[in-house]
Amino acid sequence: MRYVVIPAYEPDEKLLELLWELKRIDQGQDRLRIVVVNDGSGEKYDRIFEAASKSAVVLSHGENRGKGAALKTAFHYIAEISAAGAPSPLRKRKLSSNDVVVTADADGQHRAEDIMGVCRACERAEDSIVTGRREFTEGVPLRSRMGNTITKYVFFLATGVKLGDTQCGLRAFPIAMLPFLCRIAGERYEYEMNLLMESALRIPILEEPIETVYIGENETSHFRTLQDSWIIYKEIFKFALSSIAGFLTDYISYGLLIIALAAAPTPVRLVVANVAARICSASLNFTLNKKYVFKSRESLLKSGIKYGLLAAGILGINTSLLLFLSFLGFQNAYLMKMIVELCLFLLSWTIQRRFVFKGKNPSGRVGRRRALYGHHKDL
């Protein structure tokens, strides 16, 4: 069975056209179930959703709660329809491990053929997410091209996974992933980026080419450029602020020690000042990153050991680079410190995001779906 989830906020006739196309492709085979979520569109749009209810189950939010919340509402609903006594027209068959859930947008940017193509790719793949991949050519609005370019590089730095399109809302998931999807943080557009970030650490993400469709200058999008961009990127911004706090602690301590050790030979001054300053800054940085940036649930001891190993490695690289620059003839100890810290910033971010604070990453073939995704009853 294939379940298509369409979150909709103030949709137009293009939603009804999409539903008609999906039903046409299904051709009465009863292999397709569609769930539309009215995300607080208001009475003005009741006519659209009433017409949609002839082809799909329509769930409603009393007020606008965001795309992430709408997706989770549909995910909960699909998971619960297999429970005995659940009042649902979809409760005609039990959920199967081979079932697939596909998310699509309501504004006409995802063709019915592409929705089915991504769905089939997910059915062929084993325990993988399949996301649509658009080609960002000259016909794509500049805002969309720039947004995707920035996001895919941030995503690669954070996860080590290279995707050509990180902002496509057309994605397919094995039904077993529903509990995992519902636990991911985020209520608005940030949910889709959080989903990719969390999944990249444990689940293969595949891409399926789809047609690139933009209506006009993408004026139908409800994406708020400044507010939603902040929500999406705030994790790396928080890491940057934490790193700045750690850097200031490190740099000030380093500078004071360089002054205090003025009589010592240059190599001794650099090593002692750098090591002592890094111990102070690492303690602050670890606390901030564990509690506020990555919000890791892992035990203090385990994450502390991993962070300690990382800090020791970074410290070794850091000190070696300082000595190397000194060997090359650099005289300004403060400028050398600044250059080295900037070079190591992205390395530290990537390792902390992917290994230190990623939490438990189950592995092994036995019970793999259960370990990765959890159980339906967890919802």
Side-chain angles (χ1 to χ4, degrees):
M1 182 65 69
R2 298 160 176 171
Y3 297 89
V4 178
V5 173
I6 306 176
Y9 176 61
E10 299 183 352
D12 56 21
E13 298 290 337
K14 288 188 284 292
L15 170 60
L16 302 181
E17 293 171 5
L18 175 60
L19 296 179
W20 185 86
E21 284 294 327
L22 288 170
K23 285 298 184 181
R24 182 186 62 80
I25 290 176
D26 190 39
Q27 294 181 340
Q29 297 180 27
D30 202 33
R31 294 190 59 207
L32 183 67
R33 297 288 186 268
I34 306 172
V35 179
V36 174
V37 181
N38 173 7
D39 188 27
S41 300
E43 296 180 359
K44 179 181 177 181
Y45 297 88
D46 285 349
R47 177 186 62 83
I48 296 290
F49 289 107
E50 183 177 350
S53 66
K54 298 177 182 178
S55 303
V57 171
V58 177
L59 309 176
S60 297
H61 290 167
E63 58 184 17
N64 179 251
R65 292 169 51 191
K67 188 176 184 180
L71 290 172
K72 290 179 188 178
T73 293
F75 295 157
H76 278 287
Y77 180 79
I78 293 171
E80 290 170 356
I81 63 175
S82 63
S88 166
L90 299 188
R91 203 181 66 254
K92 296 178 180 179
R93 68 190 294 278
K94 298 291 185 179
L95 295 178
S96 166
S97 60
N98 296 321
D99 290 343
V100 170
V101 178
V102 188
T103 63
D105 293 344
D107 58 4
Q109 293 195 34
H110 299 147
R111 302 184 313 139
E113 291 82 359
D114 287 330
I115 293 173
M116 291 297 99
V118 169
C119 182
R120 288 190 292 270
C122 188
E123 290 171 338
R124 293 192 299 268
E126 181 181 355
D127 294 336
S128 300
I129 294 173
V130 177
T131 179
R133 186 185 75 244
R134 300 162 293 178
E135 296 298 330
F136 290 86
T137 56
E138 293 182 358
V140 176
L142 179 61
R143 181 183 71 166
S144 298
R145 291 206 307 270
M146 290 183 61
N148 186 73
T149 299
I150 294 171
T151 304
K152 71 180 182 181
Y153 283 117
V154 170
F155 181 76
F156 175 72
L157 290 171
T159 66
V161 176
K162 188 175 183 179
L163 294 179
D165 186 356
T166 57
Q167 295 185 316
C168 183
L170 178 51
R171 299 171 181 174
F173 316 89
I175 200 83
M177 282 189 64
L178 287 179
F180 167 70
L181 298 178
C182 289
R183 289 195 296 267
I184 293 173
E187 297 296 300
R188 296 190 177 275
Y189 285 101
E190 81 278 10
Y191 173 77
E192 292 182 301
M193 179 54 65
N194 290 346
L195 190 157
L196 286 182
M197 296 279 278
E198 293 295 328
S199 301
L201 301 176
R202 64 189 78 186
I203 303 165
I205 302 177
L206 310 178
E207 291 186 291
E208 181 75 8
I210 65 172
E211 183 176 337
T212 305
V213 180
Y214 279 95
I215 312 299
E217 287 296 311
N218 202 23
E219 66 271 7
T220 59
S221 174
H222 296 288
F223 184 84
R224 304 165 300 175
T225 303
L226 294 179
Q227 301 97 312
D228 291 323
S229 293
W230 161 248
I231 291 173
I232 289 172
Y233 297 121
K234 68 179 180 180
E235 181 175 310
I236 195 168
F237 290 152
K238 286 191 297 182
F239 179 82
L241 290 174
S242 169
S243 296
I244 289 172
F247 172 75
L248 290 176
T249 301
D250 188 28
Y251 198 72
I252 292 172
S253 302
Y254 173 82
L256 293 175
L257 287 168
I258 286 291
I259 295 172
L261 298 170
T266 296
V268 175
R269 292 171 66 207
L270 289 175
V271 172
V272 173
N274 196 50
V275 171
R278 183 49 61 101
I279 291 174
C280 295
S281 65
S283 300
L284 173 65
N285 191 246
F286 171 75
T287 302
L288 292 176
N289 287 349
K290 179 172 175 58
K291 293 184 65 175
Y292 302 109
V293 178
F294 301 109
K295 298 179 180 178
S296 174
R297 297 178 181 178
E298 199 169 52
S299 70
L300 181 63
L301 178 61
K302 190 171 183 178
S303 56
I305 291 174
K306 290 192 291 184
Y307 184 86
L309 292 174
L310 169 64
I314 294 291
L315 176 59
I317 298 172
N318 185 298
T319 304
S320 298
L321 288 175
L322 284 173
L323 293 174
F324 179 69
L325 290 175
S326 176
F327 175 77
L328 291 179
F330 282 80
Q331 299 297 321
N332 192 323
Y334 306 101
L335 179 59
M336 286 193 293
K337 178 71 171 176
M338 183 74 72
I339 293 172
V340 169
E341 291 297 335
L342 289 175
C343 290
L344 295 178
F345 170 80
L346 290 178
L347 175 63
S348 179
W349 149 260
T350 303
I351 294 176
Q352 289 189 55
R353 181 66 178 83
R354 295 181 62 191
F355 301 107
V356 178
F357 297 112
K358 70 174 183 175
K360 193 172 183 179
N361 184 10
S363 60
R365 301 297 300 174
V366 179
R368 184 168 182 265
R369 286 191 175 193
R370 179 177 298 179
L372 290 178
Y373 313 139
H375 305 271
H376 291 307
K377 68 181 182 180
D378 292 338
L379 292 172

